[in-house]
Amino acid sequence: MEQTLAIIKPDGVSRGLIGEVILRIERNKLKIKAMKLIQMSKTQAQGFYAVHRERPFFQSLTDFMCSGPVVVMVLEGENAIKRWRDMMGATNYKDAAEGTIRRDFATDIEKNVVHGSDAPETAAFETGYFFNALERV
Ligand code: CMP
């Protein structure tokens, strides 16, 4: 069993897409092991995306990620990392496959509705960033 971090980003929450995203997660038989609605500070967003700190979009991305509430979740299942990334679609919604969340709902490469960990090490860091052991069922 593998765990991964999923985030419904501020655009997804403000556009009323929490239910839609959770429906897709449950339909795809990924288990929700932890979930909460939070609003990150700028410092927390910078810490979360530290791996991107040299990228030209870092400032804008971290401003966006603390611009409103987000839903953070730990998902579990076999191949959970890849399965959740397949459900999300490519970072750029224009490249995302039909039927993916980003293809269906994203409006912008930055405002792309959802986030998912990209590897086991990232998943360990990212799930631990938001949840301690007592917060996971
Ligand atoms: P995410 O999967 O959360 O990982 C990093 C985020 O940076 C990505 O989704 C996008 O929201 C954002 N991002 C990636 N590439 C770009 C880009 N070229 N311009 C602006 N934002 C980007």
Side-chain angles (χ1 to χ4, degrees):
M1 282 295 165
E2 191 172 66
Q3 292 195 340
T4 190
L5 184 83
I7 305 181
I8 306 175
K9 295 186 179 187
D11 58 329
V13 173
S14 67
R15 289 169 59 205
L17 294 171
I18 296 175
E20 174 69 33
V21 172
I22 290 176
L23 189 67
R24 290 182 184 216
I25 289 169
E26 293 189 323
R27 277 204 185 131
N28 279 274
K29 307 260 183 279
L30 284 170
K31 269 217 168 90
I32 299 172
K33 301 292 285 183
M35 176 162 64
K36 58 191 172 190
L37 181 76
I38 58 165
Q39 173 134 17
M40 277 188 270
S41 66
K42 176 80 171 169
T43 307
Q44 287 166 335
Q46 288 170 328
F48 179 72
Y49 278 119
V51 58
H52 293 306
R53 63 186 171 276
E54 306 300 338
R55 303 283 192 99
F57 55 81
F58 183 67
Q59 183 65 31
S60 165
L61 172 64
T62 50
D63 280 345
F64 166 57
M65 289 301 287
C66 65
S67 68
V70 299
V71 174
V72 287
M73 287 175 270
V74 177
L75 307 182
E76 185 179 89
E78 271 181 42
N79 280 321
I81 295 173
K82 180 175 188 307
R83 281 166 60 202
W84 172 234
R85 289 181 73 79
D86 287 348
M87 287 172 61
M88 292 195 301
T91 303
N92 188 343
Y93 72 103
K94 292 178 180 164
D95 301 328
E98 295 253 343
T100 60
I101 294 168
R102 286 167 169 167
R103 173 66 170 259
D104 290 346
F105 300 110
T107 53
D108 183 291
I109 192 168
E110 182 175 272
K111 295 179 181 57
N112 59 359
V113 186
V114 282
H115 167 85
S117 313
D118 63 0
E121 311 75 55
T122 339
F125 166 75
E126 293 186 350
T127 56
Y129 197 78
F130 293 112
F131 298 99
N132 64 39
L134 287 175
E135 294 173 305
R136 307 182 197 200
V137 295

